[in-house]
């Protein structure tokens, strides 16, 4: 963090739809007074068409082209490189990963980062 600027919080969300969408909108909008909030995301069928309107205008939305519901190693490597590039540009103070695919990729990509990395599974299957 430099000067008097707010700390930077970077979320990565592989599938912004359903309950995850509601959660991240509420969370991001409640934090923008104290944090610069960035969200790296992918659009899914469940994502509302007017999704940007749900977010406070101070929330920075960054579409991640290579997030996919796939077990493809090639896609995972591309997504990891894109995540690393985004984080490098933002220089976040905290990185928070949501969903299993992003969680797995992000924990590998950001293993040696200075910023703390948190992972929250987004699915009932992980809670059982």
């Amino acid at each position: 963090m430099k000067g008097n600027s707010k700390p930077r919080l970077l979320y990565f969300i592989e599938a912004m739809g359903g309950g995850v969408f509601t959660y991240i909108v509420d969370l991001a909008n409640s934090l923008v007074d104290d944090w610069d909030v960035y969200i790296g995301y992918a659009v899914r069928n469940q994502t509302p068409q007017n999704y940007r309107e749900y977010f406070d205008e101070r929330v920075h939305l960054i579409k991640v082209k290579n997030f996919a519901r796939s077990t493809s190693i090639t896609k995972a490597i591309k997504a990891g490189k894109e995540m690393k590039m985004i984080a490098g540009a933002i220089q976040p103070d905290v990185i928070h990963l949501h969903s299993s695919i992003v969680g797995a990729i992000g924990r590998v990509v950001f293993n040696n980062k200075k910023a703390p990395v948190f992972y929250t599974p987004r699915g009932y299957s992980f809670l059982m």
Side-chain angles (χ1 to χ4, degrees):
M1 191 170 85
K2 296 182 172 103
N4 292 331
S5 64
K6 297 185 274 188
R8 294 178 183 148
L9 174 58
L10 173 58
Y11 291 108
F12 282 109
I13 301 169
E14 179 260 325
M16 192 162 68
V20 174
F21 177 74
T22 302
Y23 173 81
I24 201 65
V25 166
D26 289 346
L27 187 60
N29 288 346
S30 71
L31 293 172
V32 292
D33 288 337
D34 299 315
W35 292 81
D36 281 332
V37 179
Y38 297 82
I39 301 173
Y41 69 95
V43 173
R44 295 286 178 257
N45 291 339
Q46 311 91 333
T47 306
Q49 287 187 347
N50 63 338
Y51 66 92
R52 291 182 183 274
E53 296 173 17
Y54 287 79
F55 289 96
D56 185 290
E57 64 184 17
R58 296 171 289 174
V59 174
H60 308 277
L61 298 174
I62 305 162
K63 193 168 185 180
V64 181
K65 298 172 194 158
N66 290 294
F67 280 170
R69 285 187 173 167
S70 168
T71 56
S72 164
I73 293 296
T74 303
K75 270 296 211 188
I77 291 169
K78 287 180 181 179
K81 287 180 180 178
E82 194 172 359
M83 291 168 70
K84 197 171 189 175
M85 182 189 71
I86 290 167
I90 293 169
Q91 296 294 306
D93 295 289
V94 176
I95 298 171
H96 194 163
L97 310 168
H98 294 266
S99 82
S100 56
I101 294 172
V102 167
I105 296 168
R107 286 179 285 172
V108 171
V109 170
F110 300 120
N111 188 28
N112 296 321
K113 283 289 185 192
K114 294 178 183 177
V117 177
F118 297 93
Y119 166 60
T120 303
R122 304 260 56 106
Y124 288 110
S125 62
F126 295 103
L127 300 176
M128 295 181 187

